[in-house]
Amino acid sequence: MRVSQKTPPEARLAMPPPRRSLTVILKATDMCNAACTFCSIGPSGKERMAWEDFERLAEELERTARIWALSRLELTFHGGEPTLLGAEWIDRACRRLSGIDAQVAFSMQSNLLTFADDMVEVARRHAIRVGSSIDPLFRQRRLAGGGDGYPRWVRNYERLCREGFSVGAIFVVTREAAGRAADLYDCCEQLNALTEHPFGLQINPVYAQGRAAANQEVLLSAAEYGRFLVDVHRRWEDAGRSVNVGPIREMVEAFEQPGRHPSLSCSFGGNCATTHVGVDWDLNVAGCGRRLDSGALLGNLRDAHLDELVRSSEEMAHIDRRSKLLRAGDCADCRFFWVCRGGCPDAADLASGSVTDRSPWCEAYTMLFEEIERRTAARPRPRARRTTLRVGVEPGALQGGPIAGEVVERWMWPTDEGRALRFDSGLGSALYGPSDLLRIRVHNRHASALTMWQDLVRDVRVTVELFEAEGLETALNVLNALGATVRLDLPRIAASPEGPGALAAALERYLTDPLCRIQVRPFADMLQNAVEGRRSESTNVWGLPPGTFDVVWPEGDALGDDETACEQLRADVDRDLAAWQAQHLGCRDCPHLAICGGRLVTGGESPCGPTLRELVDRIAGLAATIGRQLEEAAREGQ
């Protein structure tokens, strides 16, 4: 067992950004009722966490949630076998943590060899998500007293499904499994048809530690694991993707939707230094559950606070920098780094002794990525629905109907004098068809002129775009009274000296003022996506997906007085998705990307700045509160 060295304050891990989530892997017991040949821990023990120690852990989690301003805390009961703690202990632990000032969720990783009625009731009471592990082929997942555990697993799996739980499982790939991917997939399809709940499988390689290290015959090479992954992927595609198989499904989605940040497990996240911790029965702390198994301890909660152990750890500081180091070093020439980010640091440490090295399974995942890439390139893609932008300062410049299969969005910008709106401008005829869109970009001081076209601006197809800080509050008051849909050019507004304060006030009013009746974008879109747990689509500063729009410029190239905006739009027209990604590399590891979609950066690798990130933090915080309220309402409704 080793404890990571402390670092001087100047080299410590930076404080995690506020409104983040934290997953705590709690190994509250080392007891187990199984004796799997590939177990990464070792023989079953006799230890279990005393309640006073759990109380100490709960106090630390309360403190950490407050200091880190967590929006979500997930506690995973792990082990050992967590059901051996007993339903009463699990219930008491969940009740103790339910008062933490964050959205608290629970999960459990059980072998399902036992799952008594009282445990079922506790899991239902606290909405505990149940995960498991299977071995339907080789009988390597065995009972502690000998014998195959799969039949007992199937009985409890069916039972939990009848009780309304959706239970996924992990399959550990050993050398014996290599070459039998199709057999495994057939078993998964049988489980999929067994109940009304879809079956999900997560594929993991065997790790050379614990009992597995002593059973060398179960270990396999990266090439063998890669062939297994490729075989499963081919079988999955040929079967019409009938079973949810991870990480293959998520990786395929990453290639099919390249504009979105990949939604993969922690092994491929590249940022686990501040998103996961592991705690064992004796209050030892490590970077995650696997690091506990590896004996790489950060310290003990009897000696220091949880946040102090994390922030002062040399290992965690290395992991925090690992993705950037790999990107500049061993992985510099890898075109797949955006998917895997070097893989799991614990796997790297097991293979080479350093968490900053790339995963030893690199060859395996490269084989899979190349196979997915070939399939994705060969598969015909539906033609993206493009938008034609007609830009001008007078309605006459906006003439022209849509091309078949396309949407026309007409943009009216201010003239050289700044006044795009006159009573006789003909603005009322700017919408030509039922699918047309109109965006009116106005100076704040001229927003009141829209009163002449209040019926038009109430149309859901019309957006009024504001791009100045001075007078923003007054303009929003006018547009709120008119019932308009508003879009704010956040980067332009934030760039002015008074911009940060104006945007903060606008966001706070939109989020909290009951008299604010209008949609204010992109605030509204980001909030909705955050509440629903969806990732925002990658868009540029105009709110348009890169590579999906064309522009028809006005005759004479007259675009009014907003030269900066004109130049930005001209540049964005020529950027396809690949070019957009290349100019937004700084977004890839940003925790805000899932909410903002990259729309806050005007270009290049420079960050969008603290002002805009604070806005996203505020939206994320409210989304978490709304999520808790919805869950509470749903429970009360039951």
Side-chain angles (χ1 to χ4, degrees):
M1 184 174 294
R2 48 199 168 95
V3 178
S4 64
Q5 298 296 313
K6 303 299 168 102
T7 58
E10 63 272 13
R12 289 184 176 183
L13 175 67
M15 176 72 77
R19 314 311 307 179
R20 292 291 301 274
S21 63
L22 176 66
T23 298
V24 180
I25 312 298
L26 177 61
K27 293 177 174 282
T29 181
D30 63 355
M31 298 184 294
C32 190
N33 49 5
C36 307
T37 61
F38 49 78
C39 179
S40 62
I41 301 175
S44 173
K46 299 180 180 179
E47 304 292 350
R48 56 178 289 156
M49 177 175 274
W51 183 255
E52 55 268 25
D53 287 336
F54 183 85
E55 183 64 39
R56 183 190 292 266
L57 171 61
E59 292 172 356
E60 284 299 320
L61 295 179
E62 287 176 327
R63 181 179 186 276
T64 302
R66 182 176 65 255
I67 294 174
W68 287 7
L70 295 178
S71 60
R72 178 181 173 86
L73 174 69
E74 178 166 342
L75 185 119
T76 300
F77 295 101
H78 213 289
E81 170 53 37
T83 60
L84 298 182
L85 292 165
E88 182 179 354
W89 197 97
I90 299 289
D91 179 56
R92 189 179 180 187
C94 292
R95 286 189 284 109
R96 172 63 182 86
L97 295 179
S98 61
I100 289 180
D101 186 20
Q103 180 184 1
V104 180
F106 302 101
S107 59
M108 176 182 293
Q109 187 65 23
S110 168
N111 57 33
L112 290 194
L113 297 181
T114 60
F115 216 92
D117 291 342
D118 55 353
M119 189 65 72
V120 172
E121 179 56 35
V122 168
R124 180 183 292 109
R125 181 182 308 144
H126 298 288
I128 300 176
R129 293 186 298 109
V130 180
S132 188
S133 48
I134 63 170
D135 177 17
L137 299 177
F138 311 111
R139 299 183 180 181
Q140 291 179 329
R141 187 168 293 280
R142 307 186 65 78
L143 304 174
D148 183 12
Y150 186 64
R152 187 181 297 184
W153 181 92
V154 171
R155 289 194 297 272
N156 280 322
Y157 170 74
E158 286 188 277
R159 176 165 160 263
L160 283 174
C161 289
R162 289 195 302 270
E163 294 286 350
F165 293 88
S166 294
V167 181
I170 293 172
F171 178 78
V172 177
V173 183
T174 61
R175 180 178 296 169
E176 190 174 3
R180 295 192 61 183
D183 294 335
L184 173 67
Y185 197 89
D186 289 343
C187 291
C188 291
E189 287 196 313
Q190 294 170 11
L191 291 170
N192 210 27
L194 195 60
T195 71
E196 296 179 353
H197 292 268
F199 179 69
L201 184 74
Q202 174 71 31
I203 298 174
N204 288 345
V206 62
Y207 295 105
Q209 65 180 29
R211 188 180 286 124
N215 295 306
Q216 291 290 314
E217 67 275 7
V218 305
L219 303 181
L220 76 167
S221 67
E224 289 171 324
Y225 182 48
R227 285 192 291 272
F228 183 88
L229 291 174
V230 169
D231 289 345
V232 172
H233 173 246
R234 290 173 177 171
R235 182 72 177 86
W236 180 72
E237 293 283 12
D238 294 342
R241 305 182 177 184
S242 56
V243 178
N244 180 5
V245 180
I248 290 173
R249 178 185 63 81
E250 295 89 344
M251 290 175 172
V252 170
E253 288 179 351
F255 279 84
E256 291 181 339
Q257 304 174 31
R260 292 177 178 263
H261 190 74
S263 179
L264 296 166
S265 68
C266 58
S267 294
F268 309 99
N271 62 345
C272 60
T274 56
T275 60
H276 290 71
V277 293
V279 181
D280 73 4
W281 60 272
D282 199 30
L283 295 178
N284 292 310
V285 177
C288 64
R290 288 197 54 199
R291 296 305 281 158
L292 279 176
D293 298 343
S294 299
L297 305 183
L298 309 182
N300 191 282
L301 292 180
R302 296 187 181 90
D303 304 321
H305 292 300
L306 178 61
D307 67 296
E308 294 172 348
L309 291 175
V310 172
R311 293 187 63 213
S312 65
S313 164
E314 181 179 4
E315 173 179 294
M316 298 300 263
H318 286 326
I319 292 175
D320 189 49
R321 297 189 297 270
R322 176 175 182 262
S323 185
K324 292 181 179 179
L325 292 173
L326 288 174
R327 189 63 178 133
D330 291 345
C331 303
D333 298 326
C334 179
R335 68 181 189 276
F336 301 124
F337 183 79
W338 64 276
V339 190
C340 78
R341 289 180 169 79
C344 175
D346 182 73
D349 187 41
L350 277 179
S352 68
S354 174
V355 294
T356 57
D357 286 346
R358 64 185 178 184
S359 168
W361 304 111
C362 176
E363 178 185 358
Y365 290 116
T366 298
M367 293 169 64
L368 175 62
F369 295 150
E370 290 174 344
E371 172 68 15
I372 295 173
E373 191 176 55
R374 283 193 295 269
R375 286 251 187 178
T376 303
R379 186 181 300 116
R381 297 184 182 181
R383 184 176 182 270
R385 194 178 191 192
R386 299 183 69 83
T387 299
T388 297
L389 310 179
R390 293 190 175 274
V391 182
V393 298
E394 294 289 347
L398 308 180
Q399 297 286 346
I403 302 172
E406 296 192 345
V407 174
V408 170
E409 180 172 344
R410 294 175 169 84
W411 288 18
M412 178 171 267
W413 285 10
T415 63
D416 290 337
E417 297 76 30
R419 297 192 64 86
L421 307 173
R422 301 191 319 272
F423 185 75
D424 61 346
S425 68
L427 183 61
S429 61
L431 289 176
Y432 290 83
S435 63
D436 284 3
L437 302 172
L438 175 63
R439 186 182 307 202
I440 307 171
R441 188 175 172 93
V442 299
H443 292 283
N444 291 336
R445 63 185 181 277
H446 297 142
S448 58
L450 286 170
T451 304
M452 294 182 289
W453 292 277
Q454 55 184 303
D455 291 337
L456 176 72
V457 299
R458 288 194 183 110
D459 193 304
V460 295
R461 297 172 294 169
V462 177
T463 299
V464 180
E465 186 166 64
L466 305 177
F467 54 92
E468 299 171 310
E470 184 179 358
L472 181 61
E473 181 180 3
T474 301
L476 288 174
N477 287 339
V478 172
L479 297 174
N480 185 55
L482 293 177
T485 295
V486 179
R487 186 182 183 278
L488 302 181
D489 186 338
L490 297 183
R492 288 288 302 281
I493 297 173
S496 63
E498 63 272 29
L503 285 177
L507 175 59
E508 200 61 27
R509 179 182 179 186
Y510 172 70
L511 296 180
T512 62
D513 187 351
L515 297 179
C516 184
R517 302 176 292 113
I518 59 174
Q519 291 288 321
V520 180
R521 294 177 173 151
F523 296 154
D525 303 324
M526 291 190 287
L527 178 62
Q528 181 177 354
N529 289 338
V531 170
E532 296 177 356
R534 292 187 287 109
R535 290 183 175 272
S536 292
E537 185 177 20
S538 295
T539 64
N540 56 25
V541 295
W542 311 106
L544 299 169
T548 65
F549 64 95
D550 303 302
V551 177
V552 176
W553 305 102
E555 188 175 348
D557 219 24
L559 283 172
D561 68 339
D562 200 345
E563 295 182 4
T564 302
C566 295
E567 293 173 1
Q568 181 68 51
L569 181 58
R570 287 185 185 280
D572 284 348
V573 170
D574 298 326
R575 289 191 182 109
D576 59 13
L577 185 58
W580 185 93
Q581 290 176 332
Q583 294 175 336
H584 288 75
L585 294 177
C587 291
R588 288 201 179 277
D589 297 320
C590 177
H592 303 81
L593 181 61
I595 297 179
C596 85
R599 70 192 70 191
L600 306 183
V601 181
T602 56
E605 298 184 32
S606 60
C608 53
T611 296
L612 297 179
R613 289 196 294 271
E614 288 171 4
L615 297 179
V616 180
D617 285 336
R618 179 71 179 94
I619 291 172
L622 181 63
T625 300
I626 294 174
R628 289 196 299 270
Q629 293 172 344
L630 292 175
E631 290 181 357
E632 292 171 0
R635 286 195 294 268
E636 291 175 358
Q638 294 175 349

